Amino acid sequence: NAGVMQNPRHLVRRRGQEARLRCSPMKGHSHVYWYRQLPEEGLKFMVYLQKENIIDESGMPKERFSAEFPKEGPSILRIQQVVRGDSAAYFCASSPTPEGNTQYFGPGTRLTVL
Amino acid sequence: KNQVEQSPQSLIILEGKNCTLQCNYTVSPFSNLRWYKQDTGRGPVSLTIMTFSENTKSNGRYTATLDADTKQSSLHITASQLSDSASYICVVSPGGKLIFGQGTELSVKP
């Protein structure tokens, strides 16, 4: 049973470009969480999704950031018109239950904005 | 405001020694408290999870304690190994969403 998969592991973008981060949850998990870890800071919750639904996006910046978890395929975190401050590690976690008591984390995507 | 504070920020110990990491939280409501280990460049891996009614939980050489009255938790590592070098993160959940501490960076030296 493969764990949570994230790709790419490293992503370099220039200011103004778009970044797409992918997360494939563990088999049988329909709950996905995205977290951001800025340099020298702890992880911060961004968004919680179930299949085809955004349940809680209270941690998402109001502009340029969006997330989806389609019926088929991975969850996508999309950042439009990236800025240097978006440079961070983005982690995805999946859970088999909506309570999220057991969240398994992926290896993360490290985004660097030049 | 929901917050999780950890101390110390960083810690250096010799291989074979024990150490204790601290966590204070002001999260409400409280559902559970977890300790994660995060190796450099990797995602966090769960070590222990405790609910309100549990005051201690062990996982091998890791023992976590919880005092829900004082809202404090500790993670005790016995007989440390070089592979224990990592960031240890205290995470409190009010239900669903996780609130992370900044972590304690542990370095085990030979």
Side-chain angles (χ1 to χ4, degrees), chain A residues 53-114:
Chain A
N53 289 304
I54 297 174
I55 307 303
D56 182 349
E57 57 181 346
S58 57
M60 287 277 271
K62 293 288 185 277
E63 297 177 349
R64 302 187 296 108
F65 285 71
S66 62
E68 62 176 9
F69 189 13
K71 187 177 180 181
E72 301 290 337
S75 175
I76 306 284
L77 179 67
R78 182 181 175 208
I79 311 172
Q80 294 178 291
Q81 298 175 314
V82 296
V83 300
R84 289 221 173 100
D86 296 333
S87 295
Y90 291 83
F91 291 94
C92 164
S94 74
S95 170
T97 63
E99 294 80 19
N101 282 337
T102 307
Q103 293 189 23
Y104 296 88
F105 282 80
T109 293
R110 271 142 195 87
L111 172 65
T112 301
V113 180
L114 302 177

Side-chain angles (χ1 to χ4, degrees), chain B residues 2-40:
Chain B
N2 287 334
Q3 281 188 312
V4 178
E5 302 284 341
Q6 289 186 245
S7 62
Q9 264 192 313
S10 61
L11 183 62
I12 300 174
I13 62 173
L14 292 176
E15 187 179 10
K17 297 296 187 184
N18 304 334
C19 65
T20 301
L21 314 180
Q22 303 290 346
C23 173
N24 297 329
Y25 62 92
T26 57
V27 177
S28 181
F30 175 86
S31 176
N32 57 70
L33 184 146
R34 313 137 188 249
W35 282 92
Y36 280 88
K37 178 186 179 188
Q38 185 177 19
D39 291 307
T40 301

